[in-house]
Amino acid sequence: MADSTPSETTIASANGNQPEMGGGLPVIGYWTEKTLDLKGGLLWKTLLHKSACLSCAWGTGGQKGGFQNEDEENLQRCAKSVEAIASELMEPIPKHFFERYPISELQKLSSMESDRLGRLSFPVIKRANSDRYERITWSEVYEIVTKAFQKAPERLASYSSGRSSNEAAYLLQLLMRSLGSNNLADCSDLCHAPSTVGLKQMFGSGTSMVSLADLKQSDCVVLIGSNAPANHPRLMNELIQLRDRGGKVIVINPLIEVGLVKFASPAYPIKSFLKGSDISSHYIQPISGSDTAVFLGIQKALIENNLVNYDFLKQYTEDWEAVIEQVRSLDWCEILNTCGVSHEEIEIAAKMIGTSQRVTFAWAMGITQHSNAVDNVFSIANTALLTGNAGKEGAGTMPIRGHSNVQGFGSMGVTILLKEEIMQALEKLLQRPLSRVQGYDTRALLEASDRHQIDTLLCLGGNIYAANPDLTQAKRALGNIETVIYISTKPNIGHFHGLAKENTLILPVFARFENPHKTTTESGNNFVRLNDEGTSHLSQREGTDLISEVEFLTELADRLHGDDVVDWRSLQDTKYIRQLIAKTIPNYEKIGEIDHSNQEFTIANRIFHTPKFPTISGKAHMFVTPLPKLDLPTLSSFDIPEQTKAIVLVLGTGRSYSQHNTVVYKDGDYYRGMPHRNCILMNRTDGDRAGFREHQTVTVKGNAGKMKEVEIIYGQIREGSALMFYPEVNAIFSAPIDERCGTPAFKRVPVAVYSADSTPI
């Protein structure tokens, strides 16, 4: 059976601006630029600091050294890590900056321009009748925020991202629940909530069952809906190693990402960096949103080729008969028409999976940001179980988390779906019953705010405004809240658009490597890292007035609760927080010893090397997954001007090469050949059919707005699909959500693309 992968010639010819492979010399060039400039010494000092990487949740750094991962491999820092650190090492925003510029001027800034303003180093407030932010003292901050939290519990809410520590996350949820509120929205609601919900129902655990050591034993990786070369570059090292030992990589993605075809890793200067390493063995480009259909096809091919492990199903799973029966009943034509993939392509994937010994199924937001996202996760995990690839070394399911500690926030209880076991432990700690009222996830929080049902919102990092679809609604909803408190290291566009009705505060805090106390973080593969204390380059600057998240949260809690069963002020020493975590968070007992042992650890009962799972029966529970219905609106429903050239496409939102969440470090996308942010990547066939030409400008219209002067870029994307950059494109659409998890369908947005002329720019 021959490997199937797009040829290098095809990739290169798709767009003259697109490189022939990912990684390589541009990465080295960026490292050189950043590490040899005037701040290079400070950057290297930070890179070597014993703290976890600020970027993705793949995880590196900690007590083994800044460049090592949990497997003690060296050279485990990537360009995204350098980007994140360099951004935190910027100079402080000038002390008179906010006095000079009204909000109307700040609202003209892009995400990149907002980030480049510099570090926040003193607290500011925008009051109801003011047109700008002004400096404020910490004593007034606490006065305003304490009063804002003395409201009815159901009208209090928080939002968080994975930029902070486990300790701050634990304090946040403990404070909110102690006040009677379960409104703990989190950035994961917008990305990997379907993974957590789906995997918990199937396996009793919502995280990866595969460790880094496991991945090194896999002989096949199925990578779905991921742009790992840009968003998780160090995962590419593992894929290179897998291919070198004869393994297979199956990629499923509507867009051919050049780095998933060939990648040149600086970690392997001889075997990979000069020529690049082959990554994909087989590349499938389905219709956007049809992933469940692809996996139903793979399952049908597995059955027909006698590659199903029935002994495993009978011993270790429940409801497998219903899954088999459904798959057998499906018509091949229906499956293939839904996903747009040939029978041969599906057969190749099925045989690769079915004949491999240890298969890891990995996915990112191309799977989770759909209206049937939980079904997508079910269908992937069903495939793993049908082939016996769960509960053994080197095999299993592996959601690829995007932010460095987003999984840690969930573990600490920052979720509206808190385990009853943790709730009872918190009640014992606080010595009182806690509310069981269902809290608001991120989308529900915005809807509640739009209905004037939220008075106070505390944002621990993140950018709740820009991360949501329909920015008009997000701005209006946040504007209905009396007090919004943003805790951050740098400005973002949410600080200028997501303004409260009465008081909007921006509170400056230390970056992870600057905290005056030890903290911990959790990787996407369940490894807990210990971060040493640090110092900030801003400390000696005149007018600097920074604190840590832990200091702020403990001070606020003490002012709200006073003489309580919890000595909140004592928790400013984070070792006491870790002791509370050890007592109340299941499988986190080792964190209570980490201050003495300095021993980082893999969380117990999450990595499954035997097929016994933490469900009631000890077996995995399988779910029938219906074929998705992928209807599109007609062109006439978009009410576009007459006598225009137009086409309806399925738009997926995505991050660019130099971007982390909503933070943009560089304007364009090197890998995809997109020179700036106001581009749409589409298939040449679609452009020809509509009468467009590459590089002409068009209008892109969704169901909530439109963007003008958008430049067309042709690339190797599935016909009928398109890609534009998040968060800018969030302005033009509202999105359906998967009600089981609350995640919007960012990856399947129907849009009309139209233009009255076809003149290239």
Side-chain angles (χ1 to χ4, degrees), residues 479-532:
N480 290 336
I481 302 173
E482 288 184 5
T483 304
V484 177
I485 306 108
Y486 294 112
I487 299 175
S488 189
T489 61
K490 298 169 298 174
N492 61 55
I493 58 175
H495 298 153
F496 309 140
H497 293 271
L499 301 172
K501 182 166 58 177
E502 297 294 333
N503 293 312
T504 309
L505 297 99
I506 311 176
L507 309 183
V509 290
F510 293 114
R512 179 177 299 159
F513 54 84
E514 299 172 335
N515 274 317
H517 41 245
K518 292 182 183 293
T519 58
T520 60
T521 54
E522 178 186 326
S523 79
N525 291 91
N526 305 299
F527 189 75
V528 175
R529 288 183 165 81
L530 177 64
N531 309 300
D532 279 358

Short mmCIF file of all heavy atoms in Angstrom, two decimals, residues 479-532:
data_model
loop_
_atom_site.label_atom_id
_atom_site.label_comp_id
_atom_site.label_asym_id
_atom_site.label_seq_id
_atom_site.Cartn_x
_atom_site.Cartn_y
_atom_site.Cartn_z
N GLY A 479 -21.10 46.20 27.52
CA GLY A 479 -21.51 47.56 27.87
C GLY A 479 -22.70 47.62 28.81
O GLY A 479 -23.00 48.67 29.38
N ASN A 480 -23.39 46.50 28.99
CA ASN A 480 -24.51 46.44 29.93
C ASN A 480 -24.08 46.11 31.36
O ASN A 480 -24.88 46.21 32.29
CB ASN A 480 -25.52 45.38 29.48
CG ASN A 480 -26.26 45.79 28.22
OD1 ASN A 480 -26.39 46.97 27.91
ND2 ASN A 480 -26.76 44.81 27.48
N ILE A 481 -22.82 45.69 31.53
CA ILE A 481 -22.32 45.31 32.84
C ILE A 481 -21.85 46.56 33.59
O ILE A 481 -21.19 47.42 33.01
CB ILE A 481 -21.15 44.31 32.69
CG1 ILE A 481 -21.61 43.07 31.92
CG2 ILE A 481 -20.60 43.90 34.05
CD1 ILE A 481 -20.49 42.10 31.58
N GLU A 482 -22.16 46.65 34.85
CA GLU A 482 -21.79 47.86 35.61
C GLU A 482 -20.28 47.99 35.75
O GLU A 482 -19.71 49.07 35.53
CB GLU A 482 -22.44 47.83 37.00
CG GLU A 482 -23.93 48.07 36.99
CD GLU A 482 -24.50 48.12 38.39
OE1 GLU A 482 -23.72 48.05 39.36
OE2 GLU A 482 -25.74 48.23 38.52
N THR A 483 -19.60 46.90 36.16
CA THR A 483 -18.16 46.96 36.41
C THR A 483 -17.48 45.78 35.73
O THR A 483 -17.87 44.63 35.94
CB THR A 483 -17.85 46.90 37.92
OG1 THR A 483 -18.56 47.95 38.58
CG2 THR A 483 -16.36 47.05 38.17
N VAL A 484 -16.47 46.08 34.93
CA VAL A 484 -15.64 45.05 34.30
C VAL A 484 -14.20 45.27 34.75
O VAL A 484 -13.67 46.39 34.63
CB VAL A 484 -15.73 45.07 32.77
CG1 VAL A 484 -14.79 44.03 32.16
CG2 VAL A 484 -17.16 44.82 32.31
N ILE A 485 -13.57 44.22 35.27
CA ILE A 485 -12.19 44.30 35.75
C ILE A 485 -11.33 43.40 34.87
O ILE A 485 -11.57 42.19 34.80
CB ILE A 485 -12.07 43.84 37.22
CG1 ILE A 485 -13.04 44.64 38.11
CG2 ILE A 485 -10.63 43.97 37.71
CD1 ILE A 485 -14.21 43.81 38.59
N TYR A 486 -10.37 43.99 34.17
CA TYR A 486 -9.44 43.24 33.33
C TYR A 486 -8.10 43.11 34.05
O TYR A 486 -7.48 44.13 34.40
CB TYR A 486 -9.22 43.93 31.99
CG TYR A 486 -10.44 43.99 31.11
CD1 TYR A 486 -11.07 45.21 30.83
CD2 TYR A 486 -10.96 42.84 30.52
CE1 TYR A 486 -12.18 45.27 30.01
CE2 TYR A 486 -12.07 42.89 29.69
CZ TYR A 486 -12.68 44.11 29.43
OH TYR A 486 -13.78 44.17 28.62
N ILE A 487 -7.64 41.88 34.27
CA ILE A 487 -6.33 41.64 34.87
C ILE A 487 -5.41 41.14 33.76
O ILE A 487 -5.68 40.10 33.16
CB ILE A 487 -6.44 40.59 36.00
CG1 ILE A 487 -7.38 41.11 37.10
CG2 ILE A 487 -5.06 40.27 36.58
CD1 ILE A 487 -7.64 40.11 38.20
N SER A 488 -4.34 41.89 33.49
CA SER A 488 -3.57 41.60 32.29
C SER A 488 -2.15 42.13 32.42
O SER A 488 -1.84 42.94 33.30
CB SER A 488 -4.26 42.24 31.08
OG SER A 488 -3.68 41.83 29.88
N THR A 489 -1.29 41.65 31.52
CA THR A 489 0.08 42.17 31.46
C THR A 489 0.24 43.22 30.37
O THR A 489 1.11 44.07 30.45
CB THR A 489 1.09 41.04 31.21
OG1 THR A 489 0.80 40.42 29.95
CG2 THR A 489 1.06 40.00 32.32
N LYS A 490 -0.62 43.15 29.33
CA LYS A 490 -0.52 44.06 28.19
C LYS A 490 -1.93 44.44 27.72
O LYS A 490 -2.88 43.71 27.98
CB LYS A 490 0.21 43.37 27.03
CG LYS A 490 1.64 42.98 27.31
CD LYS A 490 2.17 42.08 26.19
CE LYS A 490 1.37 40.80 26.12
NZ LYS A 490 1.73 39.94 24.97
N PRO A 491 -2.05 45.54 27.00
CA PRO A 491 -3.37 45.91 26.48
C PRO A 491 -3.78 44.98 25.34
O PRO A 491 -2.95 44.41 24.64
CB PRO A 491 -3.16 47.33 25.94
CG PRO A 491 -1.82 47.77 26.41
CD PRO A 491 -1.02 46.55 26.68
N ASN A 492 -5.09 44.84 25.17
CA ASN A 492 -5.62 44.19 23.98
C ASN A 492 -6.87 44.93 23.54
O ASN A 492 -7.37 45.80 24.26
CB ASN A 492 -5.89 42.70 24.23
CG ASN A 492 -6.93 42.44 25.30
OD1 ASN A 492 -8.06 42.94 25.24
ND2 ASN A 492 -6.56 41.66 26.32
N ILE A 493 -7.37 44.61 22.36
CA ILE A 493 -8.48 45.39 21.82
C ILE A 493 -9.74 45.27 22.68
O ILE A 493 -10.59 46.15 22.64
CB ILE A 493 -8.79 45.00 20.36
CG1 ILE A 493 -9.13 43.52 20.23
CG2 ILE A 493 -7.62 45.36 19.46
CD1 ILE A 493 -9.56 43.12 18.83
N GLY A 494 -9.85 44.20 23.46
CA GLY A 494 -10.99 44.08 24.36
C GLY A 494 -11.03 45.17 25.40
O GLY A 494 -12.11 45.57 25.86
N HIS A 495 -9.86 45.67 25.81
CA HIS A 495 -9.81 46.74 26.80
C HIS A 495 -10.37 48.05 26.26
O HIS A 495 -10.75 48.94 27.04
CB HIS A 495 -8.36 46.97 27.26
CG HIS A 495 -7.75 45.78 27.92
ND1 HIS A 495 -6.40 45.55 27.92
CD2 HIS A 495 -8.30 44.74 28.58
CE1 HIS A 495 -6.14 44.43 28.56
NE2 HIS A 495 -7.28 43.93 28.98
N PHE A 496 -10.40 48.19 24.94
CA PHE A 496 -10.85 49.44 24.31
C PHE A 496 -12.26 49.34 23.74
O PHE A 496 -12.90 50.36 23.48
CB PHE A 496 -9.87 49.85 23.22
CG PHE A 496 -8.42 49.88 23.67
CD1 PHE A 496 -7.40 49.43 22.85
CD2 PHE A 496 -8.09 50.34 24.94
CE1 PHE A 496 -6.08 49.44 23.27
CE2 PHE A 496 -6.76 50.37 25.37
CZ PHE A 496 -5.76 49.91 24.53
N HIS A 497 -12.73 48.12 23.52
CA HIS A 497 -14.07 47.92 22.97
C HIS A 497 -15.04 47.31 23.98
O HIS A 497 -16.24 47.57 23.90
CB HIS A 497 -14.02 47.02 21.73
CG HIS A 497 -13.32 47.64 20.57
ND1 HIS A 497 -13.98 48.40 19.62
CD2 HIS A 497 -12.02 47.61 20.18
CE1 HIS A 497 -13.11 48.81 18.71
NE2 HIS A 497 -11.92 48.34 19.02
N GLY A 498 -14.53 46.51 24.90
CA GLY A 498 -15.38 45.85 25.88
C GLY A 498 -15.53 46.68 27.13
O GLY A 498 -15.09 46.29 28.22
N LEU A 499 -16.17 47.82 27.01
CA LEU A 499 -16.23 48.80 28.10
C LEU A 499 -17.52 48.66 28.90
O LEU A 499 -18.61 48.51 28.34
CB LEU A 499 -16.14 50.22 27.52
CG LEU A 499 -14.86 50.51 26.71
CD1 LEU A 499 -14.98 51.86 26.02
CD2 LEU A 499 -13.64 50.46 27.60
N ALA A 500 -17.39 48.74 30.22
CA ALA A 500 -18.53 48.59 31.12
C ALA A 500 -19.40 49.84 31.14
O ALA A 500 -18.99 50.92 30.68
CB ALA A 500 -18.03 48.28 32.53
N LYS A 501 -20.58 49.70 31.70
CA LYS A 501 -21.52 50.83 31.79
C LYS A 501 -21.02 51.87 32.78
O LYS A 501 -21.16 53.08 32.54
CB LYS A 501 -22.89 50.30 32.21
CG LYS A 501 -23.97 51.36 32.31
CD LYS A 501 -25.36 50.74 32.38
CE LYS A 501 -25.49 49.80 33.56
NZ LYS A 501 -26.88 49.25 33.66
N GLU A 502 -20.42 51.44 33.89
CA GLU A 502 -19.97 52.37 34.92
C GLU A 502 -18.44 52.46 34.99
O GLU A 502 -17.86 53.47 34.65
CB GLU A 502 -20.55 51.97 36.28
CG GLU A 502 -22.06 52.03 36.35
CD GLU A 502 -22.61 53.44 36.22
OE1 GLU A 502 -21.89 54.40 36.57
OE2 GLU A 502 -23.76 53.59 35.77
N ASN A 503 -17.81 51.38 35.45
CA ASN A 503 -16.36 51.39 35.65
C ASN A 503 -15.68 50.24 34.91
O ASN A 503 -16.07 49.08 35.08
CB ASN A 503 -16.03 51.28 37.14
CG ASN A 503 -16.47 52.51 37.92
OD1 ASN A 503 -16.20 53.63 37.52
ND2 ASN A 503 -17.16 52.29 39.03
N THR A 504 -14.67 50.58 34.12
CA THR A 504 -13.82 49.58 33.47
C THR A 504 -12.41 49.75 34.00
O THR A 504 -11.83 50.83 33.87
CB THR A 504 -13.81 49.75 31.94
OG1 THR A 504 -15.15 49.84 31.46
CG2 THR A 504 -13.08 48.60 31.27
N LEU A 505 -11.88 48.71 34.63
CA LEU A 505 -10.54 48.78 35.22
C LEU A 505 -9.60 47.83 34.49
O LEU A 505 -9.98 46.70 34.14
CB LEU A 505 -10.57 48.42 36.70
CG LEU A 505 -11.39 49.33 37.62
CD1 LEU A 505 -12.74 48.70 37.89
CD2 LEU A 505 -10.65 49.59 38.92
N ILE A 506 -8.37 48.28 34.27
CA ILE A 506 -7.31 47.41 33.76
C ILE A 506 -6.24 47.35 34.84
O ILE A 506 -5.65 48.39 35.19
CB ILE A 506 -6.70 47.93 32.44
CG1 ILE A 506 -7.77 48.29 31.42
CG2 ILE A 506 -5.74 46.89 31.86
CD1 ILE A 506 -7.22 48.90 30.14
N LEU A 507 -5.99 46.16 35.35
CA LEU A 507 -5.06 45.99 36.46
C LEU A 507 -3.82 45.24 35.99
O LEU A 507 -3.92 44.13 35.47
CB LEU A 507 -5.75 45.22 37.60
CG LEU A 507 -7.11 45.77 38.04
CD1 LEU A 507 -7.65 44.96 39.21
CD2 LEU A 507 -7.00 47.25 38.41
N PRO A 508 -2.64 45.83 36.17
CA PRO A 508 -1.40 45.23 35.65
C PRO A 508 -0.83 44.19 36.60
O PRO A 508 -0.79 44.38 37.83
CB PRO A 508 -0.46 46.43 35.56
CG PRO A 508 -0.88 47.30 36.71
CD PRO A 508 -2.38 47.12 36.84
N VAL A 509 -0.38 43.07 36.05
CA VAL A 509 0.18 41.99 36.88
C VAL A 509 1.48 41.49 36.27
O VAL A 509 1.81 41.77 35.12
CB VAL A 509 -0.81 40.82 37.02
CG1 VAL A 509 -2.00 41.20 37.87
CG2 VAL A 509 -1.27 40.32 35.65
N PHE A 510 2.21 40.74 37.07
CA PHE A 510 3.46 40.14 36.62
C PHE A 510 3.20 39.03 35.61
O PHE A 510 2.18 38.34 35.68
CB PHE A 510 4.23 39.55 37.81
CG PHE A 510 4.73 40.55 38.80
CD1 PHE A 510 4.23 40.59 40.09
CD2 PHE A 510 5.73 41.46 38.45
CE1 PHE A 510 4.69 41.51 41.02
CE2 PHE A 510 6.20 42.38 39.37
CZ PHE A 510 5.68 42.42 40.65
N ALA A 511 4.14 38.85 34.70
CA ALA A 511 4.14 37.67 33.84
C ALA A 511 4.56 36.45 34.66
O ALA A 511 5.09 36.59 35.77
CB ALA A 511 5.07 37.87 32.65
N ARG A 512 4.34 35.27 34.12
CA ARG A 512 4.61 34.03 34.87
C ARG A 512 6.03 33.97 35.41
O ARG A 512 6.25 33.60 36.57
CB ARG A 512 4.35 32.83 33.96
CG ARG A 512 4.62 31.49 34.60
CD ARG A 512 4.25 30.36 33.65
NE ARG A 512 2.83 30.42 33.32
CZ ARG A 512 2.30 29.86 32.24
NH1 ARG A 512 3.06 29.23 31.38
NH2 ARG A 512 1.00 29.94 32.02
N PHE A 513 7.02 34.35 34.61
CA PHE A 513 8.42 34.23 35.01
C PHE A 513 8.85 35.38 35.91
O PHE A 513 10.00 35.43 36.36
CB PHE A 513 9.33 34.16 33.78
CG PHE A 513 9.14 35.29 32.80
CD1 PHE A 513 9.78 36.51 32.97
CD2 PHE A 513 8.32 35.13 31.70
CE1 PHE A 513 9.60 37.55 32.08
CE2 PHE A 513 8.14 36.15 30.78
CZ PHE A 513 8.78 37.38 30.97
N GLU A 514 7.93 36.32 36.23
CA GLU A 514 8.26 37.46 37.07
C GLU A 514 7.65 37.36 38.47
O GLU A 514 7.99 38.16 39.35
CB GLU A 514 7.71 38.75 36.44
CG GLU A 514 8.28 39.08 35.07
CD GLU A 514 7.56 40.24 34.41
OE1 GLU A 514 6.38 40.47 34.74
OE2 GLU A 514 8.17 40.91 33.55
N ASN A 515 6.77 36.41 38.69
CA ASN A 515 6.05 36.34 39.97
C ASN A 515 7.02 36.25 41.16
O ASN A 515 8.02 35.53 41.09
CB ASN A 515 5.12 35.13 39.99
CG ASN A 515 3.77 35.44 39.37
OD1 ASN A 515 3.18 36.48 39.61
ND2 ASN A 515 3.28 34.53 38.54
N PRO A 516 6.72 36.93 42.25
CA PRO A 516 7.59 36.87 43.43
C PRO A 516 7.40 35.60 44.26
O PRO A 516 7.98 35.48 45.33
CB PRO A 516 7.18 38.11 44.23
CG PRO A 516 5.75 38.33 43.86
CD PRO A 516 5.63 37.91 42.41
N HIS A 517 6.58 34.67 43.77
CA HIS A 517 6.33 33.42 44.48
C HIS A 517 6.31 32.27 43.47
O HIS A 517 6.13 32.48 42.27
CB HIS A 517 5.01 33.48 45.24
CG HIS A 517 3.90 34.15 44.46
ND1 HIS A 517 3.33 35.32 44.85
CD2 HIS A 517 3.31 33.82 43.29
CE1 HIS A 517 2.42 35.68 43.96
NE2 HIS A 517 2.38 34.78 43.00
N LYS A 518 6.47 31.08 43.96
CA LYS A 518 6.41 29.90 43.10
C LYS A 518 4.97 29.65 42.65
O LYS A 518 4.02 29.91 43.40
CB LYS A 518 6.94 28.65 43.83
CG LYS A 518 8.43 28.67 44.12
CD LYS A 518 8.86 27.37 44.81
CE LYS A 518 10.33 27.38 45.18
NZ LYS A 518 11.20 27.38 43.98
N THR A 519 4.83 29.15 41.43
CA THR A 519 3.51 28.77 40.91
C THR A 519 3.65 27.45 40.15
O THR A 519 4.77 26.96 39.92
CB THR A 519 2.95 29.84 39.96
OG1 THR A 519 3.87 30.04 38.87
CG2 THR A 519 2.71 31.15 40.69
N THR A 520 2.54 26.90 39.74
CA THR A 520 2.55 25.68 38.94
C THR A 520 1.64 25.85 37.73
O THR A 520 0.73 26.69 37.72
CB THR A 520 2.08 24.45 39.74
OG1 THR A 520 0.75 24.68 40.20
CG2 THR A 520 2.99 24.17 40.92
N THR A 521 1.89 25.02 36.71
CA THR A 521 1.03 24.97 35.53
C THR A 521 0.90 23.52 35.10
O THR A 521 1.71 22.66 35.48
CB THR A 521 1.62 25.80 34.37
OG1 THR A 521 2.96 25.37 34.13
CG2 THR A 521 1.60 27.28 34.67
N GLU A 522 -0.09 23.25 34.26
CA GLU A 522 -0.36 21.89 33.79
C GLU A 522 -0.34 21.86 32.27
O GLU A 522 -1.01 22.67 31.61
CB GLU A 522 -1.72 21.42 34.31
CG GLU A 522 -2.12 20.03 33.84
CD GLU A 522 -3.54 19.67 34.25
OE1 GLU A 522 -3.97 20.09 35.35
OE2 GLU A 522 -4.22 18.97 33.48
N SER A 523 0.38 20.92 31.69
CA SER A 523 0.44 20.80 30.24
C SER A 523 -0.78 20.04 29.72
O SER A 523 -1.53 19.42 30.48
CB SER A 523 1.70 20.06 29.80
OG SER A 523 1.55 18.66 29.97
N GLY A 524 -0.95 20.04 28.40
CA GLY A 524 -2.04 19.31 27.79
C GLY A 524 -1.89 17.80 27.90
O GLY A 524 -2.85 17.06 27.65
N ASN A 525 -0.70 17.35 28.28
CA ASN A 525 -0.47 15.92 28.49
C ASN A 525 -0.37 15.57 29.97
O ASN A 525 0.29 14.61 30.35
CB ASN A 525 0.78 15.46 27.73
CG ASN A 525 0.58 15.50 26.24
OD1 ASN A 525 0.86 16.50 25.58
ND2 ASN A 525 0.06 14.42 25.68
N ASN A 526 -1.00 16.43 30.81
CA ASN A 526 -1.20 16.13 32.23
C ASN A 526 0.07 16.19 33.08
O ASN A 526 0.13 15.56 34.14
CB ASN A 526 -1.86 14.75 32.39
CG ASN A 526 -3.14 14.62 31.61
OD1 ASN A 526 -4.09 15.35 31.84
ND2 ASN A 526 -3.15 13.71 30.64
N PHE A 527 1.06 16.94 32.64
CA PHE A 527 2.30 17.08 33.40
C PHE A 527 2.30 18.42 34.13
O PHE A 527 2.08 19.47 33.51
CB PHE A 527 3.52 16.98 32.48
CG PHE A 527 4.83 16.90 33.21
CD1 PHE A 527 5.22 15.73 33.85
CD2 PHE A 527 5.69 17.99 33.28
CE1 PHE A 527 6.42 15.63 34.52
CE2 PHE A 527 6.90 17.92 33.94
CZ PHE A 527 7.27 16.73 34.57
N VAL A 528 2.53 18.40 35.46
CA VAL A 528 2.51 19.61 36.28
C VAL A 528 3.93 20.13 36.46
O VAL A 528 4.81 19.41 36.93
CB VAL A 528 1.86 19.34 37.65
CG1 VAL A 528 1.95 20.58 38.54
CG2 VAL A 528 0.41 18.92 37.46
N ARG A 529 4.13 21.39 36.07
CA ARG A 529 5.44 22.03 36.18
C ARG A 529 5.46 23.04 37.31
O ARG A 529 4.45 23.69 37.60
CB ARG A 529 5.81 22.73 34.86
CG ARG A 529 6.15 21.75 33.76
CD ARG A 529 6.60 22.46 32.47
NE ARG A 529 7.23 21.49 31.59
CZ ARG A 529 6.57 20.65 30.80
NH1 ARG A 529 5.26 20.71 30.76
NH2 ARG A 529 7.22 19.78 30.04
N LEU A 530 6.64 23.18 37.93
CA LEU A 530 6.84 24.14 39.01
C LEU A 530 7.65 25.31 38.47
O LEU A 530 8.73 25.12 37.90
CB LEU A 530 7.57 23.48 40.17
CG LEU A 530 7.92 24.37 41.36
CD1 LEU A 530 6.66 24.90 42.05
CD2 LEU A 530 8.79 23.60 42.36
N ASN A 531 7.11 26.52 38.66
CA ASN A 531 7.76 27.74 38.18
C ASN A 531 8.44 28.45 39.33
O ASN A 531 7.81 28.77 40.34
CB ASN A 531 6.73 28.68 37.55
CG ASN A 531 5.87 27.97 36.52
OD1 ASN A 531 6.37 27.45 35.54
ND2 ASN A 531 4.56 27.95 36.76
N ASP A 532 9.74 28.72 39.18
CA ASP A 532 10.48 29.45 40.21
C ASP A 532 10.03 30.90 40.31
O ASP A 532 9.42 31.45 39.38
CB ASP A 532 11.98 29.41 39.89
CG ASP A 532 12.63 28.12 40.33
OD1 ASP A 532 11.93 27.27 40.91
OD2 ASP A 532 13.84 27.95 40.07
#
